[in-house]
Amino acid sequence: MPVNLLDFNQAQLAEYFKNLGEKPFRARQLMRWMHHFGVHDFGQMTDIAKSLREKLALEATITPPAVQLEQVSDDGTRKWLIAAGTGNGVETVFIPEDDRGTLCISSQVGCALECTFCSTGRQGFNRNLSVSEIIGQLWLANQSLRQADGYDMLPAGERIISNVVMMGMGEPLANYDNVVTAMQIMLDDSAYGLSRRRVTLSTSGLVPAMDRLREDCPVALAVSLHAPNDALRDEIVPINKKYPLKELMAACQRYLEKAPRDFVTFEYVMLDGVNDSVEHARQLLQTVRDVPCKFNLIPFNPFPDSGYLTSKTENIRRFRDILMQAGHVVTTRKTRGEDIDAACGQLAGKVQDKTKRSARRIPLEIVV
Ligand code: SAH
Ligand code: SF4
């Protein structure tokens, strides 16, 4: 089997070249060709000796995953369905804004953590994505956007994708090694050269992995909080039973010692009548009181049989005002790409569930 060079960060590529009896600096050249210029044909790599190009062509490939479907929303949001083998697929979303372009990347086929309001969690889990499947989403989106209307005229050197968020399908910290390697490629100046502030990882709160990330690759951190107390969080974000709020808050404080920004972003999905009362907002202020933070309120995006409703606009405003009056910066996430099911929590892809979650779930019609 030829090795896929998209699976390697620069250090691993240097090791690969060393084993081939080549100079390690070849790694930097190859990173530039693959990631900076998006070239996957060794023949085009003109500053690499022909003999080495021929050798590489025999034993290596540069193979991004295949795109099965590309959709464009009325608001310019784009979504790609990426093949992940044996009937599986994951989704990648590009969100254009005036001052930036954000790519939302998936890390797993499905998710094993079963948050009750999340469409990905509902579908169960199949497997972790490989490094080439993770970084391949950025590679493919770059290629596709360079050819897309409205982007093909950008001045040379202008970045279409200026920010990456690990907020697609899956829990990125549950696929730790592959996600960290892929993020190292995002940050590598020879590859995508994104600053650590422009790469954000969102986690539901895997405390030991947060501590490792702080040492290995401290990018901007978002934490999916969604509830102000353990009783409610145990119910809607079940990983809370393992890593309760007190431990999670302490891990956030530790993370900030190395983080590229001086705050953690707390994401809070607004579920009507579940977590959106005045009392919940006040409790939330107490829970986070020792962590420098910003809030991102996410109006719940419905999906079939979710059993939840989006909070009423006036309740979201009331909740926001309480946090703001306490001196916090609060943003309410605008829903983007709803017409193509690209909004937060709507990413479904195609998951051949191995956990049998879908079978275990009691249909809502029977419950009510
Ligand atoms: N697994 C990671 C990252 C992926 S989810 C995490 O949970 O943080 C990205 C964000 O969308 C998370 O904050 C998640 O809780 C939120 N989300 C999930 N389902 C949602 C829905 N139906 N509506 C709005 N946001 C949702
Ligand atoms: Fe997994 Fe995140 Fe969805 Fe929870 S919200 S099920 S951790 S993808």
Side-chain angles (χ1 to χ4, degrees):
M1 265 288 271
V3 286
N4 186 356
L5 299 186
L6 288 183
D7 276 316
F8 296 152
N9 64 18
Q10 193 170 156
Q12 294 164 334
L13 204 54
E15 189 64 28
Y16 173 77
F17 278 116
K18 214 172 100 198
N19 292 336
L20 280 186
E22 296 286 337
K23 293 275 188 307
F25 76 83
R26 295 281 177 217
R28 201 172 55 237
Q29 283 179 313
L30 219 87
M31 290 303 273
R32 276 184 73 77
W33 281 116
M34 288 193 292
H35 295 291
H36 192 81
F37 296 115
V39 167
H40 58 93
D41 173 4
F42 295 114
Q44 288 179 28
M45 302 182 178
T46 43
D47 59 358
I48 294 179
K50 193 147 179 272
S51 55
L52 176 55
R53 280 189 264 156
E54 283 168 1
K55 186 146 89 177
L56 285 173
L58 283 179
E59 55 176 271
T61 64
I62 299 170
T63 311
V67 174
Q68 288 189 325
L69 182 69
E70 176 168 357
Q71 289 170 283
V72 185
S73 153
D74 293 340
D75 67 13
T77 302
R78 278 164 197 267
K79 184 170 89 167
W80 295 269
L81 176 64
I82 310 277
T86 53
N88 287 306
V90 296
E91 294 181 323
T92 310
V93 179
F94 175 68
I95 307 135
E97 286 172 287
D98 291 342
D99 57 342
R100 70 188 121 172
T102 304
L103 193 71
C104 178
I105 289 184
S106 293
S107 55
Q108 299 184 305
V109 182
C111 184
L113 296 187
E114 307 193 355
C115 302
T116 51
F117 50 83
C118 173
S119 158
T120 304
R122 272 290 170 88
Q123 294 183 88
F125 175 72
N126 185 279
R127 68 172 174 86
N128 282 331
L129 293 180
S130 66
V131 175
S132 55
E133 288 170 325
I134 299 169
I135 201 67
Q137 295 172 58
L138 180 52
W139 195 96
L140 286 168
N142 254 325
Q143 299 296 311
S144 160
L145 287 167
R146 277 179 192 158
Q147 290 152 21
D149 279 354
Y151 297 105
D152 47 356
M153 302 297 281
L154 272 187
E158 185 115 345
R159 282 202 179 114
I160 307 173
I161 297 170
S162 60
N163 295 61
V164 167
V165 292
M166 299 300 302
M167 290 189 186
M169 296 169 65
E171 166 51 54
L173 292 185
N175 182 12
Y176 186 86
D177 290 343
N178 292 347
V179 164
V180 165
T181 304
M183 293 196 306
Q184 286 164 342
I185 302 172
M186 293 171 199
L187 304 180
D188 186 336
D189 281 334
S190 305
Y192 299 95
L194 294 172
S195 79
R196 289 193 289 131
R197 304 165 63 90
R198 288 181 178 272
V199 176
T200 301
L201 181 140
S202 174
T203 180
S204 54
L206 303 191
V207 166
M210 288 166 67
D211 284 326
R212 285 180 70 196
L213 189 70
R214 180 191 58 181
E215 301 306 322
D216 296 342
C217 192
V219 294
L221 184 69
V223 172
S224 292
L225 209 49
H226 307 318
N229 60 61
D230 282 321
L232 181 57
R233 198 162 188 270
D234 281 353
E235 200 183 301
I236 65 179
V237 184
I239 193 69
N240 193 68
K241 290 181 206 146
K242 198 158 177 194
Y243 306 115
L245 283 167
K246 196 156 174 269
E247 285 178 36
L248 181 56
M249 292 303 118
C252 289
Q253 280 179 297
R254 291 194 295 275
Y255 193 86
L256 284 172
E257 292 162 15
K258 297 276 178 70
R261 295 177 183 266
D262 53 11
F263 59 89
V264 168
T265 302
F266 286 128
E267 296 159 283
Y268 197 98
V269 63
M270 301 297 298
L271 302 166
D272 186 39
V274 175
N275 64 355
D276 62 350
S277 72
V278 170
E279 188 49 35
H280 288 129
R282 295 205 176 116
Q283 259 186 24
L284 185 58
L285 289 171
Q286 281 305 307
T287 301
V288 305
R289 66 182 178 272
D290 297 325
V291 183
C293 61
K294 290 188 182 177
F295 288 98
N296 193 207
L297 305 181
I298 318 175
F300 169 67
N301 289 310
F303 54 90
D305 286 346
S306 74
Y308 292 110
L309 295 173
T310 312
S311 297
K312 296 179 185 67
T313 313
E314 66 262 30
N315 290 349
I316 298 181
R317 213 171 290 145
R318 182 180 65 182
F319 200 91
R320 181 198 63 188
D321 289 347
I322 295 172
L323 301 179
M324 281 171 80
Q325 275 153 19
H328 288 288
V329 173
V330 187
T331 49
T332 305
R333 197 175 287 177
K334 270 195 297 193
T335 295
R336 299 287 304 262
E338 229 174 348
D339 52 333
I340 56 169
D341 282 345
C344 302
Q346 289 185 324
L347 299 188
K350 286 193 278 180
V351 181
Q352 307 294 321
D353 181 23
K354 283 193 172 159
T355 62
K356 301 283 174 282
R357 167 145 175 80
S358 6
R360 271 189 285 131
R361 190 160 63 87
I362 306 162
L364 278 174
E365 307 81 82
I366 299 177
V367 177
V368 280

